[in-house]
Amino acid sequence: MILTRGARVTGAVLCVLLAVMVAGWLVRDVGAVDDPGRLWRYWAGYREAQLSAVPTTSADDVVLLLVYVVAAFAALRSAVAGTALVATGVVTLAVRLPALWNIGASRMNARFSDDLRTRALICAFAALAVGIALIITAGAGRRPPHDFSERTPTRPGRGASVTAFLLLGASGAVVIAWEIRQAVRFPFIYPDWFVGGDRLLLGLIDAPPGWHNAVLALLCLFAGTSALFHAVHARPFGLIAAGFLLSVGVLGVVRAVHYRMLDHFADLRTEDQLTLLSWFFETIAAAVVLIVLARRGSTDDPAPPHQGYGQGYGHPRPGVFGPPPPSQPPPGW
């Protein structure tokens, strides 16, 4: 998908708008809690993390901020960033959609002021509108290559495709397996776990945990399957999925280290051991996928006009155009 210059600039501006909105909420939380370290510990799930104000964000918002910044730079620097804009728009819609019914819920009244909830709802509608605009921009701004020398979208190479398929597919399966276990152990929290409710404590603009895990699992499975078939969109979707997966894994490992779970691994219950191993696997898998998919893959460049000619000098290759050359020079040479 090659984009016109106007579409690239428009896509970059839209990504910057999304980045500014997320950055604004992050700045608000840092200022409200008076200590960025405490905010980080709250995101990591430390039980003793006490904050002076309830945060509106989570670690996912940091990942989204990075996604928006990278997508904006990609749109400005490359004419083949259309799939990156589509992936950014789709992920924005998936992550921000629950805010439409959660921000105005009664449980948020006691935790956040009316002014804050009003601003959050406006930002949620704006984010969804920008997400849709990104997809439309990428679709409407397509154009064919000018000539054979123009760079075209890349696909993951064979090794990168297999690696991404195996690691993202396994990661998606792990997330789904834990969701099934969650449903078996704590059936009373459903459907709040997926759509939000009074039994859950959520950030003002955050998606419910079950919704987030479902989006992450679908992203991993979709990106992994796309990579297996060398699809052009496998790289942006895979990189975004790996970014969210890395956040989950790293925060889990940090929490395990903080509570010295590694020091007492043998004494942990089997389920806790599997949880710890899952965090390490997700961290390693995400890091490897980021590395293999960040590399430029193969292209679908059309054959140059001189292909089939001898050495590129414009002379027909023997046996292709005209009779073969004589085996001996003509008389008199």
Side-chain angles (χ1 to χ4, degrees):
M1 183 185 297
I2 302 178
L3 297 180
T4 62
R5 181 172 180 81
R8 291 165 53 193
V9 173
T10 302
V13 171
L14 293 174
C15 290
V16 169
L17 288 176
L18 290 171
V20 169
M21 283 189 283
V22 175
W25 288 108
L26 291 172
V27 170
R28 179 268 171 194
D29 283 351
V30 171
V33 302
D34 298 326
D35 184 359
R38 289 185 180 181
L39 183 61
W40 165 258
R41 290 191 289 272
Y42 178 86
W43 286 345
Y46 290 9
R47 292 188 295 269
E48 65 275 14
Q50 301 294 328
L51 301 179
S52 56
V54 182
T56 61
T57 59
S58 68
D60 288 341
D61 295 292
V62 178
V63 178
L64 281 174
L65 178 61
L66 294 176
V67 169
Y68 296 147
V69 172
V70 172
F73 275 106
L76 290 176
R77 296 187 58 183
S78 174
V80 295
T83 52
L85 297 182
V86 171
T88 302
V90 170
V91 170
T92 298
L93 293 176
V95 173
R96 293 307 187 201
L97 187 60
L100 296 185
W101 59 81
N102 279 323
I103 292 175
S106 58
R107 66 184 180 280
M108 294 293 186
N109 293 340
R111 305 181 67 200
F112 303 100
S113 65
D114 291 341
D115 177 66
L116 199 63
R117 288 188 294 114
T118 300
R119 283 187 287 161
L121 192 59
I122 293 174
C123 285
F125 276 109
L128 293 175
V130 174
I132 295 173
L134 279 173
I135 299 173
I136 295 175
T137 299
R142 293 180 298 176
R143 64 168 177 80
H146 291 313
D147 52 47
F148 71 88
S149 64
E150 187 173 18
R151 178 182 172 185
T152 57
T154 61
R155 304 172 185 272
R158 180 173 301 178
S161 295
V162 174
T163 302
F165 168 72
L166 293 177
L167 293 180
L168 289 178
S171 299
V174 168
V175 174
I176 293 174
W178 281 116
E179 280 301 304
I180 295 174
R181 176 59 176 164
Q182 178 88 356
V184 172
R185 288 191 62 190
F186 309 108
F188 56 87
I189 65 173
Y190 290 87
D192 292 8
W193 183 253
F194 279 100
V195 297
D198 295 334
R199 285 169 287 191
L200 296 177
L201 294 178
L202 302 176
L204 184 59
I205 64 174
D206 287 337
W211 184 284
H212 168 270
N213 292 338
V215 170
L216 178 59
L218 290 176
L219 270 177
C220 289
L221 295 178
F222 175 73
T225 304
S226 301
L228 183 64
F229 291 97
H230 304 283
V232 173
H233 57 262
R235 294 183 68 218
F237 276 101
L239 290 171
I240 293 176
F244 282 106
L245 191 67
L246 184 64
S247 172
V248 173
V250 168
L251 290 180
V253 171
V254 169
R255 190 161 56 248
V257 172
H258 175 73
Y259 290 113
R260 305 176 65 87
M261 295 176 65
L262 294 175
D263 298 339
H264 308 283
F265 183 80
D267 300 327
L268 298 176
R269 297 180 306 163
T270 301
E271 184 169 340
D272 293 334
Q273 291 176 340
L274 292 175
T275 300
L276 183 56
L277 292 176
S278 296
W279 290 334
F280 274 101
F281 171 75
E282 290 169 345
T283 301
I284 296 172
V288 172
V289 170
L290 285 172
I291 293 172
V292 299
L293 291 185
R295 300 175 59 187
R296 179 172 170 82
S298 57
T299 62
D300 294 329
D301 291 334
H306 62 266
Q307 183 171 346
Y309 288 76
Q311 305 300 320
Y313 293 109
H315 300 295
R317 193 175 64 202
V320 177
F321 297 104
S327 58
Q328 296 180 353
W333 278 40

